[in-house]
Amino acid sequence: MSPDLRVYLVLDPAHTGGRSPLEVAEAALRGGVTVVQLRWKVGPLREMLRWGAALRELCRRYRVPFLINDRADVALALEADGVHVGQEDLPPEVARRLLGPRALIGVSARTPEQAQAAEAAGADYLGTGSVFPTGSKEGARLIGLEGLRAVVRATRLPVVAIGGVNAENAAACIQAGAAGVAVISAITQAPDPEAAARALRRAVDEALAARRLEG
């Protein structure tokens, strides 16, 4: 069964506006996010494990997949639902060997060639971007909506659009063929993360419904 990727929260404790990552995550879950990924770039590993264990339990309560960014070893230690890896990280086939057949393996793919390679390696879904300008990831190169369409056309895997996505432009990503949108600051920097998540979920659901009617 394909994962529900409609609103995919990438939770980075460095980007929660000084608020507790758990409080932001729970608000987002109430608002309707369908996946939570822990992205940990700075800080002690023990802190990552502590936050990760709490987030795993929170996601289980809401029956939403909990993933780890980059670190398959941490995903294994935390009994997370899977891992998301980039082009410079652990190869997806190795992550699969470590985490097993039921794990959810996501791969970042900016080009049709990378998308096809990830599919052949056994990925479950792709993340592609940056679709729009973003301040959450330094040095992110834009692929735009055309780049998103090219990746979608190149693979049978569901594709999540990332990079500068918000409630105003999420529908354009769905219209370009994305299965969902991944966000950081659109939720975690919002004054009301629950309302922000709800607005994103509404925009994505409406765009998906319109696409089904057109198809």
Side-chain angles (χ1 to χ4, degrees):
M1 181 182 293
S2 295
D4 184 349
L5 301 167
R6 285 175 290 172
V7 182
Y8 185 130
L9 173 64
V10 180
L11 186 68
D12 186 334
H15 291 274
T16 57
R19 295 170 294 192
S20 162
L22 279 179
E23 291 176 5
V24 172
E26 185 155 22
L29 286 161
R30 289 196 303 267
V33 302
T34 58
V35 180
V36 175
Q37 178 201 122
L38 175 60
R39 178 177 182 256
W40 188 275
K41 296 296 184 183
V42 179
L45 178 58
R46 289 191 180 188
E47 281 293 291
M48 181 182 188
L49 292 170
R50 182 173 70 85
W51 283 113
L55 285 165
R56 178 199 63 209
E57 295 309 306
L58 179 63
C59 289
R60 285 181 178 174
R61 290 212 319 266
Y62 283 85
R63 298 182 179 180
V64 164
F66 172 61
L67 308 182
I68 299 295
N69 181 261
D70 294 349
R71 299 287 301 268
D73 57 336
V74 173
L76 186 63
L78 288 172
E79 299 181 340
D81 296 296
V83 68
H84 185 93
V85 296
Q87 291 295 313
E88 304 302 321
D89 300 323
L90 196 70
E93 62 271 22
V94 178
R96 175 70 68 198
R97 287 204 302 273
L98 287 172
L99 298 178
R102 298 181 64 183
L104 190 58
I105 308 293
V107 177
S108 297
R110 293 174 46 82
T111 67
E113 295 76 18
Q114 290 176 352
Q116 290 164 355
E119 182 175 352
D124 294 298
Y125 75 90
L126 304 176
T128 194
S130 293
V131 179
F132 306 108
T134 176
S136 298
K137 189 171 183 180
E138 293 183 11
R141 290 177 296 163
L142 293 182
I143 65 167
L145 290 169
E146 281 306 311
L148 171 60
R149 288 189 188 95
V151 169
V152 168
R153 287 194 297 263
T155 179
R156 295 167 296 178
L157 296 178
V159 176
V160 179
I162 191 167
V165 180
N166 55 44
E168 285 68 46
N169 58 29
C173 297
I174 302 302
Q175 290 161 2
V181 297
V183 302
I184 301 178
S185 57
I187 290 177
T188 64
Q189 296 289 314
D192 186 340
E194 181 177 349
R198 188 170 288 113
L200 269 163
R201 175 70 177 265
R202 185 183 309 113
V204 169
D205 285 347
E206 289 175 356
L208 285 169
R211 196 171 76 189
R212 284 192 294 269
L213 287 174
E214 292 169 2

